[in-house]
Amino acid sequence: MTQTDHPIDTPPRAPSPVHRFGTLAVHAGSPHDPSTGAVIEPISLSTTFAQTAVGKPVGIYEYSRSSNPNRDNFEKAVAAIEHAKYALAFSSGSATTAIILQSLASGSHVISVSDVYGGTHRYFTQVAKAHGVNVTFTPEIEVDISKYIKPETKLVWIESPSNPTLRLVDIRAVASVAHQHGIMVVVDNTFLSPYVQNPLDHGADIVVHSVTKYINGHSDVVMGVAAFNSDSMKERLSFLQNAIGAVPSAFDSWLAHRGLKTLHLRAREATVNATAVAHALEASPHVTAVNYPGLDSHPHRKIALKQHRNGMGGGMVSFRIKGGHEAAERFCQYTSLFTLAESLGGIESLVEVPSSMTHAGIPKEQREAVGVFDDLVRVSCGIEDAEDLKADVLQALEKAVVWPKITNGINGLSTNGA
Ligand SMILES: Cc1ncc(COP(=O)(O)O)c(C=O)c1O
């Protein structure tokens, strides 16, 4: 991409939605079927569409990789709830990241926050370089973005909240510096979902999601999406969507669209649950630190109040447990409602140890520099009942931290006695 055909050539024009979030989630991109009146759209599995003469398709569709009704409807719904003019869906969140990076010309430079999702870090460090795109990471992007900007810098990548340390970035502050240099700003909004945060409203140029998480919300679809306002960006990314072909199936698009219709209900409930769990963790003697943007103790709470709907903290919490990595692993064994598994944002609660699971690929020193210590545990709160989740966390803490001390004590006694 050259300086002249930079995507920020069209002033962002966000459509002004008439309706509120829940109404948009239920109705955007959801036309009744014109032939049968079906209230829920049919799944259009056909890979190809008949033409009445050469180059004259019956409707607007020709071949399903290029576009199909279910993907179109899903994309319209995401655009509506992200306050964007356009949205494009891809076969995964990772494919979305890859395609945005591929849209940059060889020789381009990217500035990224340090604590990005492990797979994003892997793409930035091991794949982007192969097509001539170099990435500089910084843990304090608001402070030192100017220091890293070069003539070749074309893109700034933000994850807010970051995964798994839940640090926040002031999107407006970063975007105002980046835009002075014609640099576009991408925000990975996976951890909050469009219900809690709309990055385009805070100056971002593109917002991306792993749809796999909150937007689909039922842990049964892998998909990604990018939403934005620029016409030239639409042209460029649609071209790559078709040319690379990393597209979601019609069935997955239909499923993800169904999930999206209840996003507001799920995101609210997950926040209620995560808030209860975060407070319980903060009060526990077995925990040394809690990362949750909904807590007043969070170092970026002011940003949450500015950027998140009603200052909501979202459904993700991470914490450092007393007793090191072993205690972190034991905690995951002892929870009964939180399932030990990667991923997040589904209706069911999950738990994981980032240092040996999602972030295992990042070298230890780099991980620890951004707070991903071996004793860090990450939980994704689902939509079960808050009291049950809290009780599950507290009993698992007791077993993971206190039981080994008692067992050691008993062992010690018996040894002494012998
Ligand atoms: C913040 C974030 N971004 C992107 C991704 C990648 O998404 P996917 O797994 O759909 O490729 C993930 C996956 O966990 C993620 O957590």
Side-chain angles (χ1 to χ4, degrees), residues 87-106:
L88 292 171
F90 300 94
S91 54
S92 65
S94 305
T96 312
T97 304
I99 280 163
I100 290 172
L101 271 275
Q102 290 226 357
S103 74
L104 303 175
S106 175

Side-chain angles (χ1 to χ4, degrees), residues 91-95 97 117 120 159 163 188 190-191 209-213 222-224 343-344 358 378:
S91 54
S92 65
S94 305
T97 304
Y117 163 61
T120 303
E159 230 181 80
N163 175 10
D188 185 334
T190 297
F191 259 45
H209 287 273
S210 168
V211 172
T212 319
K213 313 300 181 329
V222 172
M223 200 193 288
S343 202
L344 60 116
T358 46
R378 187 189 83 177

Side-chain angles (χ1 to χ4, degrees), residues 29-43:
S30 292
H32 295 167
D33 183 68
S35 53
T36 65
V39 170
I40 297 301
E41 62 169 330
I43 306 174

Side-chain angles (χ1 to χ4, degrees), residues 5 62 67 95 141 164 166-167 233 235 242 247 291 303 354 373 392 401:
D5 67 357
E62 288 178 28
S67 62
I141 201 156
L166 287 307
R167 291 162 56 85
M233 178 64 70
E235 207 174 309
N242 184 47
V247 290
N291 305 316
I303 302 177
F373 297 99
D392 194 31
V401 181

Side-chain angles (χ1 to χ4, degrees), residues 334-356:
Y334 289 132
T335 51
S336 60
L337 294 175
F338 288 81
T339 300
L340 172 58
E342 296 193 1
S343 202
L344 60 116
I347 50 171
E348 67 291 304
S349 294
L350 301 178
V351 60
E352 67 127 0
V353 178
S355 62
S356 17

